[in-house]
Amino acid sequence: MESGAKTTKKTGAAGRRGGGGPKKKSVSRSVKAGLQFPVGRIGRYLKLGRYAKRIGSGAPVYLAAVLEYLAAEVLELAGNAAKDNKKNRITPRHVLLAVRNDQELGKLLAGVTIAHGGVLPNINPVLLPKKTAAAAAKEAKPAKETTKSPRKAPAKKAADS
């Protein structure tokens, strides 16, 4: 009944694992690091950019984490700027306002020009109109305390004495 056909044993990766069971689903380095930014792509760009002869395995993970943090920080501040202007869409103007009003981001991006961002609203105090003498005297005088009821005023004076 045997036809003489030989059964061959599976070789390759399935044989080394000790069985032909289901293949494990691969987990990306971004998922392992808990990041949204692509660790593999950043690693590839580091290698292709020829920044160094050798790139460590932790370098793209660290760089992805730093870039993700910076992006989240800028987006959060730009979203707040958009909300302050009663808009629900972030524009380059909101990004510029966010970056320039934040001390650390402003220092990091000091030499950067953001297209269609405009400039910070700023008027030099020298250019503002001078106050007149009457307006200055009015601001210098403290406002008088007014009481609603005439009965309460004498009680207050008695408490001060």
Side-chain angles (χ1 to χ4, degrees):
M1 208 124 162
E2 261 181 58
S3 60
K6 292 184 180 180
T7 57
T8 57
K9 189 176 179 182
K10 288 184 179 179
T11 58
R16 285 194 295 272
R17 276 201 307 259
K23 188 177 176 183
K24 274 189 173 179
K25 192 168 189 265
S26 61
V27 180
S28 70
R29 288 187 286 172
S30 297
V31 171
K32 285 180 185 175
L35 297 172
Q36 299 299 315
F37 272 46
V39 173
R41 185 180 300 173
I42 290 172
R44 185 176 76 234
Y45 288 152
L46 281 173
K47 289 175 187 172
L48 291 175
R50 308 295 288 164
Y51 301 107
K53 287 183 181 177
R54 298 163 58 166
I55 303 292
S57 61
V61 177
Y62 194 90
L63 183 56
V66 169
L67 290 174
E68 184 174 318
Y69 168 74
L70 286 173
E73 190 74 21
V74 169
L75 282 173
E76 182 185 351
L77 293 172
N80 293 342
K83 198 174 283 184
D84 291 344
N85 291 331
K86 296 177 184 151
K87 308 279 188 216
N88 53 9
R89 185 173 293 159
I90 295 174
T91 63
R93 174 70 178 162
H94 300 135
V95 174
L96 177 114
L97 290 173
V99 167
R100 299 292 178 237
N101 286 327
D102 186 73
Q103 186 179 9
E104 292 173 341
L105 282 175
K107 196 173 183 181
L108 178 68
L109 302 173
V112 174
T113 302
I114 297 174
H116 295 282
V119 295
L120 281 180
N122 183 26
I123 300 173
N124 197 324
V126 174
L127 299 173
L128 293 173
K130 292 185 172 75
K131 293 181 180 176
T132 60
K138 189 176 181 182
E139 282 186 12
K141 284 186 179 179
K144 290 184 180 179
E145 292 183 29
T146 57
T147 56
K148 291 181 181 177
S149 170
R151 281 187 231 152
K152 290 184 180 178
K156 192 174 185 183
K157 286 181 182 175
D160 291 338
S161 302

